[in-house]
Amino acid sequence: MASPLASPATSLSVFVELRFWLLVVFSAVLPVGIYVLLLRVRAISRMAVLGLGIALVLISGVDVYLLQSLASVAKGTPSLADDALFISEISLALYIVPVVFGGIGVNLTSHVLVRHLSEAEKRFDQEHRSGP
C-alpha cells in the first residue's frame, strides 16, 4: 500500500506535493501560532508551557523529515525551481528554521523543569530543616 505522502511519478514539481504544503504548515503556521499564543497570554500554566515546548520540538522533527523527503522528490522532478530550493546550498538555510524551533522548544521545556526542580528543592529543604 502506498504512503499518503508518496508522490506520483508524474509530478512536475514538489510545490504541488502535499508534503510541501505540510512543510509550510509545520514551518510557519503552527510555530507562529504558538509564539503568538505565548506572547499574548497574560497567565499560563506550567503544563501548557511544557506542552508547547514539546510541540515545538516535535514540529522541528517533522520539518526535518519533510525537508529530507522533499529533497529526495526534487531530484526526480524536471523543475529547476525545486532543485534550487531543496537540493542546492540554499537548502541548508531551510534547516535553520527547525533548529530554531527545536531550540526554543528545548528552552521552554528546560525552563519548566528547572523551575519545578528549584521549587521542589526549596520544599525539601523546608520539610527537612533540622531544628536547633
Side-chain angles (χ1 to χ4, degrees), residues 105-126:
V106 167
N107 283 339
L108 288 172
T109 303
S110 174
H111 168 75
V112 170
L113 293 175
V114 167
R115 290 217 33 200
H116 171 74
L117 290 174
S118 180
E119 291 173 6
E121 287 175 353
K122 287 178 186 175
R123 280 191 302 274
F124 179 85
D125 290 342
Q126 289 172 351

Side-chain angles (χ1 to χ4, degrees), residues 12-120:
L12 298 176
S13 174
V14 296
F15 300 115
V16 297
E17 293 279 329
L18 173 63
R19 283 177 275 197
F20 174 75
W21 295 106
L22 287 173
L23 179 66
V24 170
V25 168
F26 279 93
S27 294
V29 177
L30 290 177
V32 169
I34 290 172
Y35 296 147
V36 167
L37 175 72
L38 288 171
L39 293 173
R40 304 274 323 231
V41 297
R42 293 175 89 50
I44 190 167
S45 73
R46 282 187 193 167
M47 287 297 114
V49 173
L50 182 63
L52 293 172
I54 291 171
L56 285 170
V57 172
L58 293 174
I59 286 170
S60 69
V62 171
D63 277 352
V64 170
Y65 166 76
L66 290 170
L67 284 168
Q68 290 288 317
S69 176
L70 288 169
S72 174
V73 172
K75 291 176 186 174
T77 63
S79 172
L80 296 177
D82 55 16
D83 290 352
L85 189 60
F86 292 106
I87 298 175
S88 71
E89 293 80 13
I90 296 172
S91 69
L92 292 175
L94 295 175
Y95 285 92
I96 292 173
V97 173
V99 167
V100 169
F101 297 154
I104 292 171
V106 167
N107 283 339
L108 288 172
T109 303
S110 174
H111 168 75
V112 170
L113 293 175
V114 167
R115 290 217 33 200
H116 171 74
L117 290 174
S118 180
E119 291 173 6

